[in-house]
Amino acid sequence: MGGLTQTLLGGIGSGAIYGLMGLSFALIFGKLKICSYLNGDLSILAAYLCFWSFTLWHVEPFITAVVLCPLFFLIGYFVQTVFLKKFMAMEIWQGRYQSQIMVTWGIGICIMALEYMLWTATYRTMGVSYRNSVVRMGDIAVPYVDIWAFVVMLVVLVGVNLLLKKTTLGISLRACSNDRVSAMLSGINYQRVCAVTFGISAVIAVIAGLFYTLTSQVTPAVGVDLTFKGWMAVIIGGMGSLGGSIVAGIIMGLVEALTSYFWLPALKEVVLFVGLLILLIVKPSGLFSKSR
Amino acid sequence: MAFGGMELFSGINLSFEKDKVYGIIGTNGSGKTTLFNIICGVLTPTHGQVFYEGNEVTGMKPWQLSRKGIGRCFQMVKPFNSLTPYENARVARSSAGHYSKGEEKFSLDEIMELTGLKDKRNIVTSELSLPDKKNTEIARALACNPKIMLFDEVSCGLSGEEIYARMDLMRKIADYGISIIVIEHIMMFIKEICDEVVVLHAGSIISSGDPSVVAQDPKVIEAYLGGRKL
Amino acid sequence: MKNNKLRPYIIAGLIAIAAYMVLLFGSDGGYLSNFIVYVCLFIIASQGWNLLGGYVGEISFGHAVFWGIGAYTVGLPIGYDLNISPLLLAFAGAAVAALFAWIISYPLLRVRGFPFLVGTYGLGVVFEKVFVASPKLFATKGVFVANDLNRFFLHGMIFVLMIVVTVGVKWLTDKDLGLRFKAVRDVPEAAEMVGVNIYHTKTAALVIGAFLCGLAGGLYVLYSGFINPTTAFDSSVSISILMGPYIGGIGTVLGTVFGTSIVIAIQEWARSALPFTGGQHMALGLLLIIIMMVSREGLFPGLRKLALKLSGKTKDKTKEKKAA
């Protein structure tokens, strides 16, 4: 029994990372209909930078992440203003989503290629001292990192919600999400709102990457994997609901953990995607979508 | 023969008879387009039923209804932009029109002629002007072999002359034995072409009957001009 | 009118055939000949992808699944030493892929956009993992598909099939069904209003596309003589399939031919010129970004627009001259 509880807790830990990835997509897709496919690669880039600074200079990864946040905010801002801006005014029939997906995906491939060049395809493990330290509760051992991931995920969720509800940026963002043209007519700089939101989404990706590198082994190809897991969380959570994608991420983590526990770790993705297909048959709009 | 009958919004019954031109007017938000969406199957009414040619069609999908002979033009034009007007009509003829083979009232060439797109039939629709885009939509709806056509504010955004052309076109369509329901804001338009008019206000019918009579109805005037203030 | 429309295709076809003859007899089945075969195979698969991705507008990241199904339908019976004609198997593989596409369309195509994209990617992952984990399906060892087909015959057949498929797709997209594909892509709600069943239309595109991908996959195995989960189902195969239409011109038949040739050529070039890991990815990623930023519709429509612009200008000039 203890083993199962242990597994479930581990699942919540990795689920928190998927939830964060999902949140970073849900924020830009749900609110602004920007379709990005590079956040997973940004995460892994951040993970590698944390790894690098730790192995070369023994910098605490959490500190590196704090430094990386503004940097990645700028990267996100830059990607939106330089690459995605010209697709924002396009209608869907003109291939708006296709173009966005392809550009961001192209950037993602380039980031991945860069990682291959700098760090090769070897699986990297960051040897921080607290990696294996655990909190013991009876016969259950919960890794510190998992607890941290979960707490940080909740903090990010609350933070993003506060940002949306309380700040001027959040209010303009919601205005743009409701009606782009009216928002622009009332003096909101639409492109800037988009760019800032993309930046925030990139920062969330950094946080997900930080915890990924603390809990798992990193290789460049994981970026695409994280991207798709994040999008899965968005779909399961109901296309753009922020809380929904977090919950969906945790469910995904649990499904993976349970598959590894009862069956084969190699088949966890298989079960996950088959589950997604079943969900699409039963409830195509996702678990937590507001019914229209 | 009862052509259609429905319970709308708040316990109202509305029926349209064959071979007539109906006008629907009403203030913004009175539910005109919602009514169209229910007839076309885009929206399924929460309660109440829709009948068409004596059969219940509530909850049918738009593509099923269009195969039965309901054609529609949108308020905001939505032609297939990467196709030419002729191809737009071809899509409709091969899809919805396919289910009423042998009953075609006109061939595709006649439709092009009728809607005045004969010279522009091979130009990609996204490069056409707004009136021609609207014509393309009418051509597309006609190619479905409709028995009833719904026009949602086809005069919106057109100049006076173009509106007259549109009225002529509608009369011609009616002459072919196709029933028509139009949503319009322009009273002159309604008076010219409609046999009967229904006035919607806040989701209920406040008046219906002959256009010139309805126009004098104090309730209609109140709804449009805000009677108390006058 | 009609002749004018056909002329560029005929000229392109003649040039291609001439070039092909020179290469085939000049290089005697060496490196270049292999390269041409791979290009042709990926063109067949890309045309299949293009039906759904380009004409209906549903991007799939998992057409490698159909490619792989076609490949394994050829590979498994041969791996188990069953005595079945390999060519028959290749076409059977295409049929199996189409059948699978028809089944999978039920969950995947009922929703528009991202669920489809993510679902198709997931499908690729599922197939790769299942094949890797099953020793009965030869796991990571893969299958060596020995066959006594004449390589020149195979080469010629693949080339002819490529042309047949390209012309066939062009023909199909000018038919009513092809017009319906575009109608669904342009305005789905209006397409429904003229009696188009969106789900059936998309399924048709997916199934025909899967047939072509499966055919290409089966022939790939016959030509290369080896198949394992990575060469069958990996996302890099999907990427090779979908990059061509994007680079060349999504929703155009000739663009797909050019685009796929360019993509495979770049991959080959990067393999020798950028021998470090990631070199290929970098080249393709940069190409994709540049194409999307410069000419969003792809190289072929972009060039056509440019040509129209230039010829338009020259026409204006002649008019001016006449006026003067």
Side-chain angles (χ1 to χ4, degrees):
Chain A
M1 205 57 222
L4 185 60
T5 324
Q6 176 89 53
T7 312
L8 288 176
L9 286 172
I12 293 178
S14 59
I17 295 167
Y18 301 148
L20 281 170
M21 275 326 293
L23 184 64
S24 96
F25 286 122
L27 185 63
I28 47 171
F29 177 68
K31 299 293 169 201
L32 295 170
K33 301 285 168 225
I34 304 170
C35 199
S36 155
Y37 267 77
L38 72 99
N39 294 25
D41 293 302
L42 285 180
S43 283
I44 294 306
L45 183 62
Y48 267 118
L49 289 174
C50 288
F51 165 77
W52 213 1
S53 63
F54 180 77
T55 13
L56 292 184
W57 306 297
H58 297 285
V59 183
E60 182 57 35
F62 279 90
I63 295 170
T64 321
V66 170
V67 179
L68 285 181
C69 281
L71 178 69
F72 274 67
F73 178 85
L74 287 181
I75 293 180
Y77 195 97
F78 173 80
V79 166
Q80 171 67 31
T81 39
V82 174
F83 294 107
L84 291 175
K85 192 174 171 183
K86 73 178 217 178
F87 304 124
M88 294 306 294
M90 264 162 68
E91 296 298 325
I92 290 169
W93 68 264
Q94 290 168 312
R96 170 180 168 158
Y97 288 153
Q98 278 98 321
S99 313
Q100 289 176 345
I101 290 171
M102 282 301 142
V103 169
T104 49
W105 188 55
I107 301 168
I109 294 179
C110 287
I111 292 176
M112 188 172 84
L114 196 72
E115 289 161 1
Y116 271 127
M117 290 174 201
L118 291 175
W119 297 287
T120 71
T122 324
Y123 280 88
R124 306 287 185 168
T125 315
M126 184 144 61
V128 282
S129 54
Y130 47 83
R131 189 179 178 100
N132 293 321
S133 51
V134 290
V135 184
R136 290 209 172 273
M137 287 179 280
D139 55 347
I140 301 159
V142 189
Y144 267 124
V145 182
D146 279 0
I147 299 174
W148 269 109
F150 191 72
V151 170
V152 169
M153 178 200 78
L154 289 181
V155 169
V156 169
L157 178 62
V158 172
V160 169
N161 269 321
L162 279 181
L163 186 87
L164 286 178
K165 296 236 163 69
K166 303 280 176 194
T167 60
T168 326
L169 171 75
I171 292 165
S172 353
L173 204 162
R174 282 188 294 152
C176 292
S177 140
N178 278 341
D179 189 335
R180 177 166 59 98
V181 178
S182 318
M184 280 155 88
L185 286 175
S186 43
I188 293 170
N189 187 340
Y190 177 64
Q191 298 291 1
R192 218 179 128 241
V193 170
C194 290
V196 171
T197 315
F198 205 103
I200 294 171
S201 136
V203 169
I204 299 174
V206 171
I207 299 169
L210 166 72
F211 284 108
Y212 192 86
T213 184
L214 288 176
T215 52
S216 319
Q217 293 177 314
V218 181
T219 180
V222 177
V224 189
D225 205 45
L226 271 187
T227 301
F228 278 90
K229 293 243 172 88
W231 272 106
M232 259 180 89
V234 174
I235 294 169
I236 295 173
M239 289 316 224
S241 133
L242 299 183
S245 47
I246 290 273
V247 179
I250 291 189
I251 293 175
M252 285 163 59
L254 288 177
V255 168
E256 285 199 359
L258 286 175
T259 315
S260 312
Y261 185 73
F262 286 112
W263 203 8
L264 273 174
L267 291 177
K268 60 184 186 187
E269 264 107 358
V270 178
V271 174
L272 204 56
F273 281 114
V274 170
L276 176 72
L277 292 186
I278 293 169
L279 179 78
L280 285 180
I281 296 175
V282 181
K283 198 163 185 297
S285 54
L287 283 182
F288 306 99
S289 62
K290 289 160 200 152
S291 54
R292 279 182 207 165
Chain B
M1 187 176 74
F3 201 55
M6 65 168 64
E7 189 190 64
L8 179 75
F9 311 127
S10 48
I12 3 163
N13 263 300
L14 197 57
S15 62
F16 300 105
E17 281 165 40
K18 207 172 178 177
D19 294 337
K20 273 196 174 178
V21 179
Y22 283 89
I24 296 177
I25 58 172
T27 47
N28 285 334
S30 58
K32 298 169 303 220
T33 303
T34 313
L35 176 67
F36 268 22
N37 281 340
I38 289 174
I39 298 176
C40 291
V42 176
L43 297 174
T44 308
T46 43
H47 48 87
Q49 294 145 309
V50 189
F51 287 93
Y52 173 71
E53 291 185 321
N55 304 317
E56 182 169 353
V57 292
T58 325
M60 274 199 181
K61 293 277 171 293
W63 48 270
Q64 290 170 313
L65 287 167
S66 69
R67 288 170 183 187
K68 285 179 181 292
I70 297 179
R72 179 188 186 176
C73 297
F74 291 95
Q75 180 178 5
M76 312 296 282
V77 282
K78 289 173 179 172
F80 304 135
N81 279 298
S82 60
L83 305 180
T84 65
Y86 187 76
E87 287 171 332
N88 264 274
R90 240 179 88 190
V91 170
R93 182 47 63 86
S94 71
S95 311
H98 181 72
Y99 290 81
S100 50
K101 238 180 189 166
E103 298 167 32
E104 289 99 342
K105 295 202 168 73
F106 5 58
S107 69
L108 290 184
D109 290 315
E110 283 164 350
I111 291 175
M112 288 293 123
E113 182 95 57
L114 198 66
T115 48
L117 288 166
K118 209 179 169 198
D119 307 331
K120 295 159 191 157
R121 52 184 274 173
N122 288 324
I123 302 174
V124 178
T125 316
S126 58
E127 284 165 19
L128 292 176
S129 62
L130 180 67
D132 284 331
K133 280 183 182 167
K134 294 207 165 198
N135 283 333
T136 307
E137 273 211 350
I138 297 176
R140 192 175 68 191
L142 279 174
C144 294
N145 300 337
K147 293 172 187 150
I148 176 168
M149 274 182 78
L150 315 177
F151 291 95
D152 197 344
E153 289 190 37
V154 277
S155 70
C156 166
L158 298 182
S159 70
E161 213 168 293
E162 288 156 359
I163 292 173
Y164 278 111
R166 219 45 52 92
M167 279 158 57
D168 280 341
L169 177 57
M170 269 187 214
R171 277 199 209 98
K172 273 184 208 155
I173 293 171
D175 287 343
Y176 276 99
I178 295 171
S179 321
I180 292 179
I181 308 177
V182 275
I183 290 178
E184 249 330 315
H185 272 309
I186 305 170
M187 205 52 205
M188 175 271 291
F189 197 110
I190 297 278
K191 275 186 182 166
E192 283 285 320
I193 66 165
C194 294
D195 302 319
E196 227 173 280
V197 62
V198 177
V199 188
L200 289 180
H201 182 62
S204 58
I205 303 166
I206 55 171
S207 180
S208 63
D210 191 74
S212 48
V213 179
V214 166
Q216 306 302 322
D217 191 325
K219 271 196 276 178
V220 177
I221 296 171
E222 191 186 310
Y224 263 82
L225 302 172
R228 263 167 292 159
K229 278 181 194 161
L230 277 177
Chain C
M1 185 72 208
K2 202 147 199 197
N3 269 331
N4 254 341
K5 238 183 176 180
L6 279 176
R7 210 167 60 196
Y9 294 102
I10 294 170
I11 292 174
L14 286 177
I15 292 174
I17 289 172
Y20 161 69
M21 286 297 185
V22 170
L23 286 171
L24 181 65
F25 293 108
S27 68
D28 56 28
Y31 178 77
L32 257 176
S33 163
N34 283 345
F35 173 72
I36 291 173
V37 167
Y38 290 135
V39 168
C40 289
L41 287 173
F42 274 102
I43 287 174
I44 295 176
S46 295
Q47 296 287 13
W49 182 92
N50 198 20
L51 278 178
L52 190 67
Y55 288 97
V56 184
E58 287 283 6
I59 305 178
S60 154
F61 267 101
H63 263 52
V65 169
F66 309 123
W67 168 283
I69 288 177
Y72 267 101
T73 314
V74 175
L76 287 180
I78 292 181
Y80 277 109
D81 294 326
L82 300 179
N83 199 6
I84 309 174
S85 148
L87 279 180
L88 190 72
L89 279 177
F91 283 93
V96 173
L99 184 70
F100 178 73
W102 182 66
I103 295 167
I104 208 67
S105 68
Y106 181 69
L108 283 185
L109 280 176
R110 296 198 308 158
V111 222
R112 190 178 159 80
F114 313 100
F116 182 74
L117 207 161
V118 176
T120 44
Y121 172 83
L123 217 55
V125 175
V126 166
F127 266 82
E128 194 176 345
K129 300 252 165 174
V130 167
F131 270 79
V132 164
S134 326
K136 286 207 171 133
L137 302 172
F138 298 97
T140 41
K141 280 188 316 204
V143 194
F144 285 95
V145 184
N147 60 70
D148 47 5
L149 290 170
N150 184 318
R151 282 181 85 74
F152 279 107
F153 164 72
L154 206 54
H155 186 142
M157 194 184 79
I158 290 170
F159 189 81
V160 170
L161 265 180
M162 186 274 284
I163 291 177
V164 168
V165 164
T166 304
V167 173
V169 167
K170 177 75 192 153
W171 172 82
L172 180 74
T173 51
D174 285 340
K175 289 262 131 196
D176 287 340
L177 185 63
L179 293 181
R180 247 176 274 160
F181 288 169
K182 293 182 207 169
V184 167
R185 173 190 63 191
D186 284 357
V187 203
E189 60 269 33
E192 269 200 314
M193 215 58 84
V194 296
V196 176
N197 184 331
I198 294 182
Y199 169 67
H200 285 171
T201 311
K202 284 181 182 175
T203 308
L206 178 65
V207 169
I208 300 171
F211 184 88
L212 297 180
C213 280
L215 185 64
L219 293 172
Y220 170 80
V221 174
L222 288 185
Y223 194 82
S224 72
F226 175 69
I227 188 76
N228 67 5
T230 313
T231 48
F233 296 115
D234 195 62
S235 59
S236 62
V237 179
S238 289
I239 290 169
S240 303
I241 292 174
L242 76 86
M243 279 286 255
Y246 261 102
I247 302 290
I250 189 162
T252 59
V253 172
L254 269 191
T256 304
V257 174
F258 287 138
T260 309
S261 317
I262 293 171
V263 167
I264 306 292
I266 284 185
Q267 278 180 342
E268 281 302 314
W269 168 79
R271 195 167 289 164
S272 53
L274 309 168
F276 46 89
T277 24
Q280 281 185 60
H281 294 282
M282 190 57 109
L284 284 182
L286 284 177
L287 182 69
L288 190 61
I289 297 174
I290 292 168
I291 290 285
M292 293 310 283
M293 296 317 289
V294 176
S295 159
R296 192 188 59 76
E297 298 106 322
L299 206 55
F300 189 60
L303 285 175
R304 196 159 53 186
K305 243 183 208 170
L306 194 70
L308 273 180
K309 229 185 205 172
L310 291 177
S311 65
K313 266 181 195 164
T314 49
K315 259 180 203 168
D316 285 349
K317 270 179 196 166
T318 49
K319 263 182 201 166
E320 276 165 26
K321 267 180 199 167
K322 270 178 193 171

